[in-house]
Amino acid sequence: MSKLSELKVLQAMRLKGRVDEATVVATVDEDPATAAATIADLIEAGLVLAGRTLKISPDGRARLEELLARERSGIGTAAVAAAYDDFRGVNADFKGLVVDWQSKDGEPNTHEDADYDAAVLARLDGVHQHVVPIITAAAAQIPRLAAYSDKLAAALAKIRAGETMWFTQPIIDSYHTVWFELHEELIQAVGLTREDEAKTGHAQ
């Protein structure tokens, strides 16, 4: 079991909470057989608890923190901090976009106004164009983060094809789900927590 595969699987479980094996295998940027073998090794080692779903154990969380700290020790902190700061700017735009998608004229959006929805979704293209180079910059320091560009692009393609559930629906790797997980990764990469970020008024 490689340390990188171990890190990817444990981080996916931390971000997603209780998940089934198929979801973990599908979401990590690894060969499916490699991901499945890593999951089996982590269960055997007591780092993942297996039942109806999979869940990272306390020992697994400690191991993940160790792996993340080792990863952070080899990165250019200034470059990652710059990517994080750039992300916070586009994150504010994305948050506004999500609010506008979920509400209209101060009421829950019923999505019966096709022109309104189309105008909101058109703005997503601009947000996407801004975030991709930020991910590229972050991935130059933490290569595994490059997978987030592919995940966001895949969700965006489905949205463009009319499958708007892939914008904000939870559980699946919707644009919002992937964005949230990317945000978590960047917060961790600069050594902060959600609580730290909330104090600055930039939490999502």
Side-chain angles (χ1 to χ4, degrees), residues 8-28 32 35-44 46-58 60-61:
K8 288 178 178 179
V9 170
L10 288 173
Q11 181 73 328
M13 290 185 184
R14 186 190 76 81
L15 291 171
K16 293 185 176 300
R18 292 181 180 272
V19 290
D20 57 34
E21 181 173 331
T23 298
V24 176
V25 170
T27 199
V28 296
T38 298
I39 292 169
D41 289 343
L42 291 170
I43 292 171
E44 184 176 358
L47 302 180
V48 169
L49 305 176
R52 294 180 61 185
T53 57
L54 301 175
K55 180 184 177 183
I56 188 170
S57 70
R61 288 185 179 276

Side-chain angles (χ1 to χ4, degrees), residues 7 9 61 66-67 88 120 131 134 152 157 171 175 177 179:
L7 170 55
V9 170
R61 288 185 179 276
E66 175 188 332
L67 292 170
R88 292 202 303 181
V120 173
V131 79
I134 295 171
L152 288 175
I171 307 302
Y175 203 96
T177 296
W179 187 282

Side-chain angles (χ1 to χ4, degrees), residues 51-105:
R52 294 180 61 185
T53 57
L54 301 175
K55 180 184 177 183
I56 188 170
S57 70
D59 286 346
R61 288 185 179 276
R63 174 59 175 164
L64 175 58
E65 289 304 317
E66 175 188 332
L67 292 170
L68 288 171
R70 187 178 303 170
E71 181 181 64
R72 285 195 298 270
S73 70
I75 67 176
T77 54
V80 173
Y84 169 69
D85 285 341
D86 289 343
F87 179 83
R88 292 202 303 181
V90 72
N91 185 54
D93 295 335
F94 182 69
K95 286 167 63 178
L97 184 58
V98 170
V99 169
D100 290 344
W101 176 253
Q102 295 176 333
S103 62
K104 179 175 180 287
D105 300 327

Side-chain angles (χ1 to χ4, degrees), residues 133-152:
I134 295 171
I135 298 172
T136 300
Q141 301 299 321
I142 306 174
R144 65 183 179 81
L145 297 186
Y148 283 95
S149 284
D150 295 334
K151 291 180 181 180
L152 288 175

Side-chain angles (χ1 to χ4, degrees), residues 79 92 162 169 193:
Q169 183 162 313
T193 65

